[in-house]
Amino acid sequence: MASSILETLEIIADKIPSLDSEIIPIENAVGRIVCQDYIATFDLPRFNNSAMDGYAVKINDAGKEVTSTQVIYAGDNPTMTLTEGSAIKIMTGAPIPNGCEAIVPIENVKVTDTTLILPSDIQLNHFIRMAGEDIKNGTVFLHRGEVINAYTIASLASQGMTHVNVTRKIKVAIFGTGDELRPHFEKIQPHQLYNSNSPMFLTRSKELGCDVRFIRTSADTIEALEKSIKSTLDADIIITSGGVSVGDKDFTKEAFTNLGMKLLIDKIDIKPGKPTIVGTINSTVIVNLPGNPLASMVNYELFVRAIIRKLSGRIDHRHGVIQTVMKNDYTAKGGKYAVVLGTFDGKCFEALKVQMPGMVSPMQKADGLLLITPDVKTLKAGQSINMIPIKWDVCSKIKEELFGK
């Protein structure tokens, strides 16, 4: 019996484990997933400091004339104590001196030959950056399961950290099935087809941060398939396409089963893309997608992306949605759980007019997809919908409503 779309995603969330970790330099960690909580070992800022170029002053001197003979620069370690009737010139980022109650920006001070006239509206602690107001010593500033970006690196560097513990890169192996499928760099005969799926899976998996290798297309014999599978069992994910429908030579599932595959998903109740299997051989996840390019792309985006996120240890491994509206009317055949591809202009979703399972061109146009239930036959312009993005990542820590209401 075919699993539903939601059942399939729940099986992935429940059955797919996170991978082990490695320690790498922080400069190499962008895009990787953190494997532990990181706790601050000191305050940031480490000391009270000036937020402006200006003068360190006393509140009681507001509106008065004061003297100033000293300067504190960023990087200095001041030992003086500020007293009433005087001000100390201070630069942005410099530690404030003992006795300082506020900083007055330099542009708010009237300078005479020998004195300063301070404004009358000085507020306590104004323009003083307090120690720990950014990151407090002993608090978690980076959580397990978060994606590292350039700004995460700034936080790590601010704590003097040189290396970070992250999930190791996911190893993906890709091969296709079918004697009629030839590599795109070879000449083909009129009865043959180019293999567009494998290059698509390879580059998409790389785009998602995986280490990927490509195995030349396997011949349609069970012995050849089993040989290809055995050569890739050191991978974390094996992705194949085709060979799981009802044709006489469709025995990819049998080849995996012969090698001990534990089946998690046999078929998926989705149009396009029903002939999809997900299983495991030991710790390797097996995904066999449909042979039709658009159908395989849809199931890659819905299910393989979810598997990759789960293996990576992301805390937000579930699909997120963008709530938007239809730009145009769209007529569906109804009767099945289906996927609608379309473009998104930041305001509206416009369903692609032509999107058949065997097509290639709609894939490069699609910004996102909609999931619709069997009872939906028409989507009206202006109707509220939930779009799952394709061309950028919107993820969630919780189960979101994927089907529009």
Side-chain angles (χ1 to χ4, degrees):
M1 182 177 176
S3 301
S4 72
I5 295 170
L6 297 182
E7 286 171 345
T8 300
L9 291 172
E10 282 310 298
I11 290 171
I12 290 169
D14 184 54
K15 300 295 185 182
I16 303 300
S18 299
L19 298 180
D20 50 348
S21 65
E22 62 180 352
I23 297 174
I24 61 173
I26 63 171
E27 294 85 356
N28 299 336
V30 171
R32 305 292 288 274
I33 312 302
V34 182
C35 281
Q36 67 180 69
D37 289 346
Y38 278 86
I39 299 173
T41 56
F42 50 78
D43 286 337
L44 188 69
R46 300 192 74 166
F47 46 82
N48 297 349
N49 68 90
S50 177
M52 303 286 287
D53 289 346
Y55 291 89
V57 301
K58 289 284 194 181
I59 296 296
N60 285 343
D61 286 332
K64 297 179 181 178
E65 190 172 3
V66 298
T67 60
S68 179
T69 60
Q70 296 173 297
V71 182
I72 304 173
Y73 295 97
D76 285 353
N77 184 22
T79 59
M80 73 284 284
T81 297
L82 180 65
T83 58
E84 289 187 14
S86 64
I88 299 174
K89 192 172 186 179
I90 191 167
M91 301 295 110
T92 302
I96 65 169
N98 294 328
C100 173
E101 296 175 343
I103 302 295
V104 177
I106 199 166
E107 60 268 23
N108 295 344
V109 173
K110 183 177 180 181
V111 181
T112 67
D113 290 340
T114 57
T115 61
L116 310 172
I117 300 176
L118 301 179
S120 59
D121 57 346
I122 300 174
Q123 300 176 30
L124 182 65
N125 295 327
H126 211 203
F127 295 112
I128 296 176
R129 297 171 179 153
M130 296 299 181
E133 71 176 19
D134 186 357
I135 299 175
K136 195 72 176 174
N137 181 23
T139 61
V140 176
F141 69 93
L142 180 58
H143 292 84
R144 184 175 185 267
E146 288 188 28
V147 183
I148 295 175
N149 58 37
Y151 309 109
T152 314
I153 302 299
S155 294
L156 289 165
S158 74
Q159 290 290 311
M161 295 182 178
T162 61
H163 289 70
V164 62
N165 189 21
V166 298
T167 305
R168 66 169 173 80
K169 281 202 170 187
I170 299 168
K171 296 181 290 184
V172 176
I174 293 168
F175 63 90
T177 60
D179 287 328
E180 80 284 1
L181 297 177
R182 308 305 304 165
H184 56 281
F185 47 80
E186 291 184 0
K187 291 183 178 180
I188 59 174
Q189 301 299 317
H191 66 282
Q192 294 177 315
L193 297 172
Y194 281 123
N195 180 353
S196 60
N197 285 358
S198 293
M200 171 174 67
F201 301 147
L202 185 148
T203 51
R204 184 61 169 139
S205 299
K206 282 186 175 179
E207 191 176 24
L208 295 176
C210 302
D211 279 338
V212 190
R213 73 180 188 269
F214 174 63
I215 307 300
R216 289 290 297 269
T217 305
S218 303
D220 276 344
T221 69
I222 196 164
E223 294 79 13
L225 283 172
E226 289 180 4
K227 183 178 179 181
S228 291
I229 294 167
K230 288 177 181 177
S231 73
T232 56
L233 285 178
D234 62 324
D236 301 306
I237 311 175
I238 295 174
I239 301 175
T240 71
S241 62
V244 290
S245 56
V246 295
D248 291 339
K249 296 178 69 178
D250 286 350
F251 37 60
T252 301
K253 179 180 175 183
E254 181 183 353
F256 283 121
T257 302
N258 289 346
L259 294 173
M261 180 179 69
K262 179 183 178 181
L263 198 61
L264 299 178
I265 304 294
D266 194 3
K267 295 180 180 66
I268 301 175
D269 187 7
I270 185 174
K271 180 180 176 61
K274 184 176 182 179
T276 295
I277 64 171
V278 179
T280 58
I281 299 178
N282 299 322
S283 61
T284 301
V285 181
I286 311 299
V287 183
N288 193 203
L289 297 169
N292 282 324
L294 189 143
S296 66
M297 172 264 199
V298 163
N299 280 15
Y300 185 105
E301 293 300 325
L302 280 174
F303 307 118
V304 178
R305 278 177 81 185
I307 291 170
I308 288 173
R309 289 186 192 134
K310 193 63 169 54
L311 286 171
S312 74
R314 285 185 70 150
I315 191 170
D316 59 343
H317 58 83
R318 296 182 181 274
H319 289 303
V321 298
I322 293 176
Q323 295 180 337
T324 183
V325 296
M326 292 292 296
K327 186 174 183 178
N328 59 331
D329 290 345
Y330 180 80
T331 301
K333 291 183 178 180
K336 293 182 180 295
Y337 290 93
V339 175
V340 180
L341 295 175
T343 59
F344 181 62
D345 62 6
K347 297 180 180 179
C348 302
F349 177 90
E350 183 173 5
L352 297 176
K353 292 181 174 59
V354 181
Q355 42 184 301
M356 303 298 290
M359 290 182 166
V360 173
S361 60
M363 298 187 295
Q364 71 185 65
K365 301 173 184 175
D367 295 317
L369 60 85
L370 310 181
L371 299 178
I372 57 175
T373 53
D375 58 304
V376 174
K377 294 185 178 180
T378 303
L379 295 169
K380 294 290 188 181
Q383 180 177 337
S384 296
I385 54 170
N386 294 335
M387 182 190 77
I388 299 175
I390 293 173
K391 291 185 177 176
W392 58 94
D393 237 6
V394 176
C395 305
S396 178
K397 298 177 184 178
I398 61 173
K399 287 191 289 185
E400 296 198 10
E401 180 58 59
L402 301 184
F403 288 88
K405 294 183 178 180

